[in-house]
Amino acid sequence: MTHIAIVTGAGTGIGAAIATRLAARGDTVILFGRRADRLEAVAKTINGTAIVNPGDVRNREDVLAAVTRAEELGGLTHLVNNAGIMPIAPMKHANSDDWRDTLEVNVLGALHTIEAALPGMRSRASGHIVNISSVAGRNPFPGAAVYSASKAALDSLSEGLRAEAAADHKRGGPAIRVTTISPGAVTTNLTESIRDEQTRAGTEAYYDNMRAVLSPDDIANAVMYAVEQPPRVCVSEIVLRPTEMIR
Ligand SMILES: NC(=O)c1ccc[n+]([C@@H]2O[C@H](COP(=O)([O-])OP(=O)(O)OC[C@H]3O[C@@H](n4cnc5c(N)ncnc54)[C@H](OP(=O)(O)O)[C@@H]3O)[C@@H](O)[C@H]2O)c1
């Protein structure tokens, strides 16, 4: 059976690495993100089948169009919710626009894709949803309360969906697997979304001062481990940190 995957935020960083690895094993991968040029650049480097599908996870129509495309190709088998932003700043510098954006992309964005993906997966009685969260969801760090809260929400909805799917499957329903992957610090351009100068400098220094930060491919390895298990195995959670990262 051909796998058909959607990876959100596939134009850069962790999403690009995941899309590359899924395509290399033979999946048809739909690359989703706002910047078409980034998606095109990744598609060119992919050894396999990659389809560029620009869109914004905050927009239900964009998400539905990508899922419809996957359904037309034979049916969505894998959804990787990776798109995320981290415009962090201390709460005393209240910026409700950044707070809203964080929750809209990191939480509602994932809900939009799940809403669009579930009917097809359920009708075919199988599917796998992978949510890229963060260790910040379990260990909120100072200056990142809202980002951490968004990832804690993603953890809860991911585990809640897994438990619901398991209960359905126990009663003879579809076998839908859900995996939450929580990385610590990874070398990407995520800090570009930080608009608070001091927080951005502090965060970049935190990454720079680590002996070895995780690479996007380290996270892709974790995704591949989860998706390559036999159908009886649902890898619920993977947490991975740089070896020297304390929390
Ligand atoms: N880097 C880390 O240390 C780290 C640690 C733990 C967890 N994570 C998580 O890993 C995920 C990937 O981040 P990354 O580190 O690879 O950073 P990144 O390179 O900045 O990737 C984020 C991706 O999300 C996409 N995106 C942002 N807003 C979007 C929207 N509204 N609609 C669709 N796509 C959107 C971006 O593309 P466009 O701007 O083109 O849309 C970009 O490709 C995020 O969920 C992040 O929270 C990262």
Side-chain angles (χ1 to χ4, degrees):
M1 176 188 164
T2 309
H3 293 141
I4 301 179
I6 293 178
V7 179
T8 67
T12 59
I14 296 170
I18 296 168
T20 301
R21 293 289 297 280
L22 289 171
R25 75 160 182 173
D27 292 14
T28 295
V29 183
I30 296 178
L31 310 176
F32 189 92
R34 290 168 303 176
R35 287 167 291 175
D37 58 330
R38 298 286 183 117
L39 303 177
E40 299 281 1
V42 172
K44 281 199 186 107
T45 67
I46 277 181
N47 180 17
T49 308
I51 295 168
V52 169
N53 189 123
D56 187 324
V57 291
R58 292 171 296 184
N59 184 324
R60 289 171 78 199
E61 282 71 36
D62 286 1
V63 168
L64 193 57
V67 171
T68 302
R69 204 152 175 194
E71 293 299 316
E72 287 165 0
L73 289 166
L76 181 66
T77 56
H78 293 78
L79 166 65
V80 182
N81 279 318
N82 165 77
I85 56 169
M86 190 178 74
I88 54 177
M91 294 195 78
K92 64 188 175 201
H93 299 164
N95 184 328
S96 60
D97 288 340
D98 282 348
W99 294 352
R100 187 175 302 101
D101 283 348
T102 302
L103 294 169
E104 280 187 355
V105 176
N106 298 3
V107 184
L108 278 176
L111 286 171
H112 289 156
T113 56
I114 289 167
E115 176 189 34
L118 273 181
M121 287 183 174
R122 287 182 58 78
S123 72
R124 285 182 296 280
S126 76
H128 197 151
I129 297 173
V130 178
N131 296 309
I132 306 299
S133 184
S134 167
V135 293
R138 52 187 67 215
N139 300 123
F141 60 96
V146 179
Y147 175 75
S148 303
S150 76
K151 293 301 189 177
L154 183 62
D155 289 348
S156 272
L157 73 88
S158 189
E159 176 56 12
L161 175 62
R162 187 204 61 75
E164 277 184 22
D168 274 356
H169 188 49
K170 190 177 170 71
R171 288 190 296 263
I176 293 177
R177 296 186 281 178
V178 183
T179 302
T180 312
I181 296 189
S182 302
V186 189
T187 340
T188 67
N189 294 325
L190 189 65
T191 52
E192 281 176 7
S193 59
I194 305 176
R195 294 193 292 143
D196 183 279
E197 287 299 326
Q198 209 180 341
T199 305
R200 185 167 170 165
T203 309
E204 285 173 352
Y206 174 74
Y207 278 60
D208 289 346
N209 288 334
M210 269 193 202
R211 207 173 287 132
V213 183
L214 300 177
S215 75
D217 206 46
D218 294 330
I219 317 310
N221 279 339
V223 173
M224 296 315 289
Y225 173 77
V227 301
E228 287 184 344
Q229 297 305 308
R232 69 176 181 280
V233 180
C234 175
V235 177
S236 320
E237 267 187 87
I238 299 178
V239 181
L240 62 165
R241 295 180 172 86
T243 305
E244 69 177 274
M245 188 172 176
I246 298 166
R247 297 184 76 237

